[in-house]
Amino acid sequence: MDFRFQVNLGGILDVLSNHLYKSPDVFLRELLQNGVDAITLRQKQSPRWTGGKITISLEPGRRMRFQDNGAGLDEEGIHRFLAVIGQSSKTELVNGRIPEDFIGRFGIGLLACFMVSDTIEVHTRPAGGAGHVWTGRADGTYTLEPLEDCPEGTGVLLTAKPGAEDYFQAGAVRELVQYYGLALPVPVYLSGDPERLNAIPENFSEVSRSQLLAFGEWLFGDEFLDAIPIQTPHVSGVAYVLPYRTGASVKNGHRIYLKQMLLTEQGDTLLPPWAFFLRCFLNTQGLRPTASREDFYEDQELDLAREEFAQAIGIYLAELSRNDPERLQQIVNVHAEAIKAMAIWDEDLFRLFIDYLPFETSEGAMTGGALKKVKFGAWVHSVPKFKQLRPVFMAQGKLLICTGYASDEELIAKLAHIYSLPLEPLREDQMDLVLDMPSASGEETAFRLLQAADHGLREFDCRAELRRFLPADLPALYVISDDVQFLRQIQTIQDSNRGGIFSGALTSLLDSVDARPLSTLYLNQNSPLIRQLAENPNQTLLQSIVRVLYVQALMAGGHPLRGGEMKVLNQELLRLVEFAGGAGKGDGL
């Protein structure tokens, strides 16, 4: 007798294939889930029974039989749970609730098989009951007949439809079972092969490091730096430390399971943001999956799982710092960026890692442990400014730390605060750390030079000051405050947006500044060039040279040149050529 599904099957299949599932291969995941749940139910009904298993038989490229020896369905259950899509035998049979150790929903999961087969034939018999064969078709009809020769449990028979033949090969089945069901507690076999497809340790904390690394290499195809066993109330498995640097945006490549069934390869939901240097094989308990069972719902249990994972990583690394600091340093050397991001918010991890973390300084790379021993240091949160000031600090024998990279400023400030270190940010009014006041006679001699410099630099909101500093071959040093830096950025944007929709707003913003803050061009009294200029009476020539020095100092500090500044450089160089030509004819200098 023919029956019809109590649903628009065509619409459901469209949802399955085009919206809910990413690939047809999830049909095997759904069969694994149904088989494991049926075995779990039989174990609940008969607590002493322990022989659950799943066997997959193949007629390569044509047919597949997926057989479990769990709790089968009687005739009433078949009508209720195979014909009414979305119902679940587990839901009804166990006090009207889905138990925590069941994975999915039988009805809608079984429909995923229509993605690879036009018919689904189910042979099922409960313990002590009669057998039946249920045949569902993609046109929305099904038949139900008695079946005499039927083993206990449920067998699903599929016939490959055109284009799906590859899923019915032994290699593909083996790969998909190990991909989706590697962590399942129920053994899965290919018919005729005694080797279990999904044999892995139940507790990774009891497995040796070499075995964990070998398992990770087999699973992920990488030779990892380390293997961190995870065993918490919500999460168990292994976190592998990648042997190469990777970016924070890379969050896939994991194997994350829910109740032993693969849920996702994406780590951004369960794993902390800093965990991108890890590749994880994890099984979770007590978390809720989304409708497609390809991610987790955000809730309190997920938050707890994240915290447990982070704590497990921290505990392992703390033990590593005590027992194998060389291996820890190797991990830090490869993954400093990720570890720095992790250490900012976690004080325990900060104290663990800070002695190993590298920072760029005027004396080369220094670890946090080395910085604890310095007598004084300043830091600057700008890579271009650091590069400009580095030779000055080096020549003076003073330490400058670059905190222009991700996480560095927060870590250096935290280092100074926690350990009460003489480290502080470099402000514009602290340049006397490396810039000495000029001699009285030198300042008097340079009066005309400073006067000409102020006049020539006025349009750039910059003033000139005379100082003595090393190295002597650096004639000028440009120093800019945060306020001036902001104005320069606004002016640069305005220059590139002349006549644009934001031009008026930018002009209004600049005009609203009551008193323009000034940047400073420090002229080096130790420089032979500056000393010679100080004795030159030609104000026009001095202005031209100072303007060239200004642009040169901007470029040395990595500051972007505005259009007017590049034009000034060309004009003043041309003027200097004219000066030189005039002097050669005897009518110039």
Side-chain angles (χ1 to χ4, degrees):
M1 178 178 179
D2 284 356
F3 303 90
R4 295 198 65 83
F5 290 102
Q6 298 179 35
V7 73
N8 182 345
L9 186 59
I12 286 291
L13 294 180
D14 176 69
V15 170
L16 292 178
S17 59
N18 295 319
H19 303 287
L20 189 60
Y21 296 129
K22 293 184 295 186
S23 169
D25 63 25
V26 298
F27 84 94
L28 194 58
R29 182 191 72 180
E30 300 295 341
L31 290 176
L32 287 169
Q33 290 181 168
N34 291 338
V36 171
D37 286 347
I39 291 170
T40 301
L41 179 58
R42 182 172 177 181
Q43 290 171 336
K44 286 179 176 292
Q45 296 170 338
S46 305
R48 294 183 180 181
W49 179 76
T50 58
K53 69 176 182 177
I54 293 171
T55 304
I56 304 173
S57 306
L58 291 170
E59 185 180 336
R62 295 188 58 193
R63 288 175 65 82
M64 174 188 301
R65 182 184 181 98
F66 191 97
Q67 181 72 47
D68 70 66
N69 61 349
L73 294 173
D74 58 18
E75 183 174 0
E76 180 187 0
I78 291 172
H79 282 295
R80 293 174 63 192
F81 305 125
L82 297 186
V84 182
I85 303 306
Q87 288 281 13
S88 170
S89 58
K90 287 89 66 175
T91 305
E92 299 295 331
L93 292 177
V94 186
N95 300 325
R97 299 169 58 187
I98 299 178
E100 292 184 358
D101 49 359
F102 289 141
I103 301 172
R105 285 181 170 268
F106 187 69
I108 196 166
L110 189 66
L111 281 186
C113 295
F114 279 126
M115 300 171 72
V116 296
S117 177
D118 288 327
T119 61
I120 303 173
E121 188 174 318
V122 178
H123 297 186
T124 184
R125 180 168 74 90
H132 290 84
V133 54
W134 176 93
T135 303
R137 293 177 288 270
D139 63 2
T141 63
Y142 70 91
T143 60
L144 180 63
E145 303 289 345
L147 183 64
E148 294 296 331
D149 186 16
C150 182
E152 288 187 359
T154 300
V156 179
L157 285 73
L158 305 176
T159 300
K161 67 182 184 181
E165 294 88 354
D166 289 347
Y167 293 109
F168 290 70
Q169 302 289 346
V173 170
R174 180 183 299 273
E175 181 179 342
L176 289 175
V177 168
Q178 292 179 338
Y179 177 70
Y180 285 115
L182 189 61
L184 287 174
V186 173
V188 182
Y189 299 94
L190 274 175
S191 180
D193 186 348
E195 182 181 355
R196 179 176 173 174
L197 297 181
N198 59 336
I200 60 168
E202 293 184 4
N203 188 341
F204 284 91
S205 63
E206 299 175 355
V207 180
S208 70
R209 179 174 179 269
S210 60
Q211 290 175 313
L212 290 179
L213 288 173
F215 174 74
E217 184 177 358
W218 171 81
L219 182 63
F220 294 111
D222 267 323
E223 295 184 9
F224 295 101
L225 291 179
D226 207 355
I228 304 174
I230 308 293
Q231 200 71 38
T232 77
H234 285 86
V235 186
S236 63
V238 193
Y240 291 99
V241 182
L242 288 169
Y244 48 81
R245 294 179 182 178
T246 185
S249 60
V250 179
K251 298 180 180 179
N252 58 4
H254 305 280
R255 297 289 181 87
I256 299 177
Y257 296 74
L258 175 62
K259 300 171 185 174
Q260 288 80 44
M261 177 61 66
L262 182 76
L263 189 82
T264 181
E265 290 185 329
Q266 302 292 322
D268 49 353
T269 303
L270 174 63
L271 304 179
W274 48 259
F276 59 84
F277 71 102
L278 300 173
R279 190 70 73 242
C280 296
F281 174 82
L282 300 173
N283 182 54
T284 63
Q285 300 289 345
L287 302 184
R288 294 177 58 206
T290 58
S292 65
R293 293 196 290 279
E294 294 176 345
D295 208 344
F296 297 106
Y297 277 116
E298 287 282 351
D299 57 19
Q300 185 177 7
E301 294 299 311
L302 182 59
D303 291 338
L304 288 174
R306 285 197 200 100
E307 293 176 8
E308 291 171 5
F309 177 85
Q311 290 170 0
I313 298 295
I315 291 171
Y316 177 86
L317 295 176
E319 294 175 350
L320 203 61
S321 70
R322 293 189 295 268
N323 303 325
D324 196 346
E326 291 185 2
R327 196 196 312 166
L328 179 60
Q329 186 64 67
Q330 183 185 17
I331 294 173
V332 171
N333 290 343
V334 176
H335 297 294
E337 181 182 349
I339 293 171
K340 284 182 177 181
M342 176 170 55
I344 288 176
W345 59 270
D346 190 304
E347 186 166 321
D348 291 335
L349 290 175
F350 171 85
R351 291 181 182 274
L352 167 66
F353 278 117
I354 194 62
D355 285 352
Y356 299 91
L357 293 173
F359 299 92
E360 185 176 358
T361 79
S362 54
E363 297 181 7
M366 296 181 66
T367 64
L371 290 174
K372 288 180 180 179
K373 301 175 184 178
V374 302
K375 295 181 178 180
F376 180 80
W379 75 78
V380 56
H381 189 59
S382 166
V383 177
K385 184 180 290 188
F386 168 78
K387 292 180 177 179
Q388 181 188 32
L389 294 175
R390 177 170 52 190
V392 179
F393 275 74
M394 287 177 61
Q396 299 284 344
K398 293 182 172 62
L399 181 68
L400 182 65
I401 307 166
C402 179
T403 59
Y405 303 104
S407 308
D408 281 10
E409 184 168 34
E410 295 91 339
L411 289 174
I412 292 297
K414 193 170 184 177
L415 176 68
H417 172 71
I418 290 179
Y419 297 102
S420 301
L421 301 180
L423 304 176
E424 58 185 47
L426 180 69
R427 300 186 301 272
E428 188 179 18
D429 58 4
Q430 291 181 307
M431 289 305 297
D432 55 0
L433 291 172
V434 289
L435 304 181
D436 294 329
M437 295 301 295
S439 63
S441 59
E443 192 167 22
E444 184 177 348
T445 303
F447 176 77
R448 286 191 302 271
L449 171 61
L450 292 173
Q451 190 177 42
D454 283 339
H455 188 271
L457 299 175
R458 187 175 301 156
E459 66 179 288
F460 305 119
D461 297 322
C462 183
R463 65 175 183 268
E465 292 189 17
L466 188 67
R467 291 288 189 274
R468 289 183 296 118
F469 53 90
L470 297 174
D473 58 1
L474 182 66
L477 180 67
Y478 179 76
V479 176
I480 185 172
S481 67
D482 292 339
D483 291 338
V484 178
Q485 178 68 39
F486 173 73
L487 286 179
R488 281 188 61 84
Q489 291 171 346
I490 295 298
Q491 288 166 340
T492 300
I493 296 172
Q494 184 188 44
D495 290 343
S496 62
N497 194 54
R498 295 290 182 186
I501 59 174
F502 297 111
S503 181
L506 294 173
T507 300
S508 176
L509 177 61
L510 290 172
D511 290 343
S512 68
V513 180
D514 295 332
R516 288 285 181 90
L518 297 177
S519 54
T520 304
L521 184 68
Y522 290 104
L523 303 178
N524 187 3
Q525 188 183 9
N526 291 334
S527 166
L529 173 61
I530 298 301
R531 289 202 300 269
Q532 187 173 349
L533 289 176
E535 297 176 356
N536 194 308
N538 191 317
Q539 291 285 294
T540 304
L541 175 63
L542 293 177
Q543 286 184 31
S544 293
I545 294 178
V546 167
R547 286 157 72 90
V548 170
L549 290 175
Y550 165 77
V551 177
Q552 182 187 53
L554 281 178
M555 292 188 294
H559 302 285
L561 298 184
R562 303 199 303 270
E565 289 164 344
M566 181 59 72
K567 184 177 180 181
V568 163
L569 177 63
N570 294 330
Q571 288 175 341
E572 300 305 338
L573 288 175
L574 180 60
R575 187 171 299 174
L576 290 175
V577 171
E578 293 173 349
F579 271 122
K585 296 177 182 180
D587 56 356
L589 290 178

